[in-house]
Amino acid sequence: MERANSDYMGMLATVINALALQDALERHGQPTRVLSAIQMAQIAEPYIRRRAIRHLEKGRVVIFAAGMGSPFFTTDTPAALRAVEIDAKVLLKGTHGGVDGVYSADPKVDPAATRYDEITFKEVIERDLRVMDLTAITFCKDNSLPILVFDVMTFGNVRRALAGEPIGTLVS
């Protein structure tokens, strides 16, 4: 399959996930808006920076979908870009599969890998720790946007991350 087609399929999958997350949050009484980088007027609003900020000001959760709308970028880079655009204080990087932060090596391969509570952008880049793609890491570094890496699959971790509790690894 051509890379561009594969990437567009991935972007569509993020829209499906965004709609599922929106439904779950709204079932708990939290107003949300899905903003998509790809036009799909029937199911999501187009991404417009000022619109996203206005939704946040009104207390709504904003879910960004479809990455940047361009192939050849992971979802990490647009996540960093959107976070900086809306003046977020931290970028939450939820992982799955039992990885609960940044490790000195892949903990699934190296049982001696150690988890960091905090680490600098420079250390992540120099040690090639693969927290996110290099473009996203560099963008966050250049814009002084910390990244909190945590296991999103552990029940209550999203709430703990939003409350500022010490979980995962802080990259700054």
Side-chain angles (χ1 to χ4, degrees), residues 18-155:
L19 295 173
L21 179 58
Q22 179 183 38
D23 184 73
L25 290 171
E26 289 189 344
R27 285 177 183 261
H28 285 87
Q30 174 59 57
T32 66
R33 295 295 185 271
V34 173
L35 275 61
S36 172
I38 296 174
Q39 292 288 329
M40 10 186 106
Q42 289 81 356
I43 59 173
E45 297 178 32
Y47 172 75
I48 299 169
R49 180 182 144 302
R50 293 180 74 167
R51 181 178 285 183
I53 291 169
R54 185 68 179 131
H55 285 315
L56 291 169
E57 289 170 347
K58 290 184 173 186
R60 299 175 183 137
V61 168
V62 176
I63 304 167
F64 300 111
M68 270 193 283
S70 300
F72 305 102
F73 289 93
T74 70
T75 54
D76 294 342
T77 297
L81 174 64
R82 299 298 185 234
V84 170
E85 285 180 318
I86 64 166
D87 197 29
K89 303 305 177 222
V90 64
L91 175 59
L92 302 181
K93 168 68 173 173
T95 65
H96 52 81
V99 179
D100 61 351
V102 178
Y103 283 77
S104 57
D106 185 343
K108 294 179 181 178
V109 176
D110 183 355
T114 56
R115 185 173 69 83
Y116 302 104
D117 291 330
E118 293 186 19
I119 191 166
T120 67
F121 289 114
K122 183 178 179 184
E123 290 171 312
V124 167
I125 293 166
E126 287 175 352
R127 297 177 189 173
D128 193 27
L129 294 178
R130 313 270 172 116
V131 173
M132 299 172 84
D133 72 58
L134 187 56
T135 304
I137 289 289
T138 304
F139 188 80
C140 288
K141 177 182 177 286
D142 291 347
N143 288 279
S144 301
L145 179 65
I147 305 166
L148 179 63
V149 182
F150 67 101
D151 182 358
V152 73
M153 300 307 288
T154 298
F155 181 80

Side-chain angles (χ1 to χ4, degrees), residues 150-165 167:
F150 67 101
D151 182 358
V152 73
M153 300 307 288
T154 298
F155 181 80
N157 265 1
V158 172
R159 180 178 291 123
R160 285 192 272 285
L162 292 172
E165 292 181 25
I167 63 168

